[in-house]
Amino acid sequence: MDYYSSHITNLIEELSKLPGIGSKSASRMAFYIINMPDAQVKNLVDTITLAKQKVKYCSECFTLTDDDVCPICKSKKRDHQTIMVVENTRDLAAYEKTGKYEGVYHVLHGAISPMLGIGPNDIKLKELMKRLNGDVKEVIVATNASLEGETTASYINNLIKPMENIKVTRIASGVPVGGDLENIDAVTLLKALEGRAKM
Ligand code: ZN
């Protein structure tokens, strides 16, 4: 039985599918939305729709961007011979916020997880390998310090190791085990980057 209008129930159900939103938060949000002015609701819906339509993958690093090539890949000031591999765009943003990393990135959009059935072909690994034909000198593996992140790191290392001109490094510990990069402060991130070691 619906305690509320069926529309509110549906709205709560949809909102609770979002990450980090439990049923309590979802119902708070749903009632808040119902009481919002029409124009504000329309603005929210339009913003979501537009973001979904317009955001695409950078054709080089696969981060989420508005253009075919993202501003980092476009920049001549960046060191295009150094590629930092991260699991997602939020991790890229965490390193960008430090303002100290001058290389470019590659965004995998996930990590290898046999438990969840996510294999090497389900993340942007082939795309990474395609970028290594040019004059790339170093690949910094900055996947998370989780089981999936470590599995992905050693998989990448095994792929690139035979290429003699490319050094593969792994960011140092200091990034706590199981920690998501995006939740770590800039100082710790920089220490992990500076302390990176050859794999
Ligand atoms: Zn890019």
Side-chain angles (χ1 to χ4, degrees), residues 80-96:
H80 290 258
Q81 296 183 321
T82 304
I83 299 179
M84 183 193 288
V85 181
V86 292
E87 290 184 21
N88 56 52
T89 294
R90 285 167 293 143
D91 292 344
L92 177 155
Y95 262 103
E96 275 307 282

Side-chain angles (χ1 to χ4, degrees), residues 99-143:
K100 292 277 161 64
Y101 174 66
E102 285 166 353
V104 293
Y105 296 90
H106 187 85
V107 182
L108 294 172
H109 293 283
I112 297 170
S113 170
M115 289 240 297
L116 297 173
I118 301 169
N121 289 329
D122 299 315
I123 58 177
K124 304 281 179 203
L125 261 181
K126 274 194 299 271
E127 291 80 355
L128 171 65
M129 299 311 289
K130 268 188 211 147
R131 296 178 68 187
L132 303 182
N133 297 325
D135 49 7
V136 173
K137 290 214 170 84
E138 180 178 356
V139 173
I140 303 169
V141 184
T143 50

Side-chain angles (χ1 to χ4, degrees), residues 15 41-54:
L15 290 168
V41 174
K42 188 179 181 307
N43 196 24
L44 175 64
V45 171
D46 290 351
T47 306
I48 293 172
T49 309
L50 201 65
K52 185 66 190 146
Q53 281 171 357
K54 296 288 181 188

